[in-house]
Amino acid sequence: TQSTWDNIIFNQRCRLKYQIELQSVLDKVSNEISSILGMSETKLLPNSRFHEVLNDPDLHGVVIGSVIDTHESYIIASLNAGKHVMCEKPLARDTATIQRCYELADKNNLSLLCALQRRFDASHEEAYRRIQAGEIGKMVRIKSMVGDPELSPSEYLKLSWGIFLDSCIHDFYSLTWLTGQLPTTVYAVGGANYDVTVT
């Protein structure tokens, strides 16, 4: 989102040197990306040049915000190149892979951060403050209800495992952070209206 990039672009302690995108994205919106995000000094490159970028000695960290299936390879390549990594959730599809990524980060004495930004949203911070201050009284129930405002593009849906894998981690994280408790039982229910364009 624009606010996410603003946090990076206007942070005096870092400089966004590269923006890696799918070639199809660059073909369509490269000029818009530069002007909208205010990244005139940022090099926009296709994802085919990702490993080339890792050879830059002036690059200290990598922010990964790609589809889940690319996370593991990008994380490992970045850590092996000596770069700190912040990757959007989830880091991978299974806990064994996630564990291997953290072990590699430890081995290389590098930071690996799973990015969960909702706790930094103003509304979530305010809810946390009010709960901690006791302003809402004794909390006996907390409910999280989410959904996408519109159907994601079929190209994305083919690569993702849907909202449960991509987004439910936000709920688990937010609920445990807000309550200061871990769940004792977990179950899920859900459904989807089938769209014939997603095949």
Side-chain angles (χ1 to χ4, degrees):
T1 64
Q2 180 68 49
S3 60
T4 300
W5 290 118
D6 285 348
N7 288 336
I8 296 173
I9 295 166
F10 298 113
N11 189 323
Q12 298 299 310
R13 297 179 299 166
C14 68
R15 179 166 61 99
L16 187 60
K17 194 167 185 183
Y18 302 100
Q19 169 76 14
I20 309 293
E21 292 286 356
L22 294 172
Q23 184 64 59
S24 59
V25 173
L26 291 180
D27 290 341
K28 294 178 182 177
V29 296
S30 58
N31 292 333
E32 288 84 348
I33 290 175
S34 295
S35 60
I36 292 173
L37 298 178
M39 303 188 310
S40 58
E41 297 182 6
T42 301
K43 294 181 182 178
L44 298 174
L45 299 172
N47 61 325
S48 59
R49 297 183 62 184
F50 175 76
H51 294 276
E52 175 187 332
V53 166
L54 295 179
N55 293 325
D56 184 344
D58 292 329
L59 184 69
H60 302 291
V62 176
V63 177
I64 300 171
S66 54
V67 294
I68 297 171
D69 283 343
T70 63
H71 287 185
E72 178 186 3
S73 62
Y74 285 171
I75 290 170
I76 290 174
S78 300
L79 292 173
N80 282 333
K83 315 301 181 186
H84 300 285
V85 177
M86 181 175 78
C87 181
E88 71 167 343
K89 53 69 200 164
L91 296 185
R93 292 194 186 276
D94 60 86
T95 54
T97 300
I98 294 171
Q99 185 62 39
R100 285 196 300 272
C101 290
Y102 277 112
E103 289 172 354
L104 180 60
D106 288 341
K107 177 183 175 184
N108 292 349
N109 197 30
L110 294 165
S111 298
L112 171 57
L113 172 66
C114 179
L116 289 152
Q117 88 287 358
R118 277 196 193 166
R119 69 174 292 174
F120 301 105
D121 290 349
S123 60
H124 284 66
E125 289 185 326
E126 177 65 9
Y128 181 80
R129 184 196 66 76
R130 295 186 66 191
I131 290 170
Q132 295 300 308
E135 292 180 12
I136 65 168
K138 181 181 179 182
M139 183 168 51
V140 296
R141 177 182 295 179
I142 186 167
K143 180 178 181 181
S144 178
M145 196 164 124
V146 297
D148 285 335
E150 59 187 25
L151 184 66
S152 298
S154 59
E155 294 81 8
Y156 167 76
L157 293 173
K158 290 174 184 177
L159 297 172
S160 79
W161 281 12
I163 194 169
F164 284 111
L165 181 66
D166 285 353
S167 297
C168 279
I169 189 171
H170 280 306
D171 300 275
F172 287 120
Y173 183 81
S174 296
L175 293 175
T176 55
W177 171 59
L178 289 170
T179 63
Q181 300 177 40
L182 295 175
T184 56
T185 304
V186 176
Y187 75 95
V189 295
N193 294 320
Y194 181 74
D195 189 313
V196 294
T197 64
V198 183
T199 56

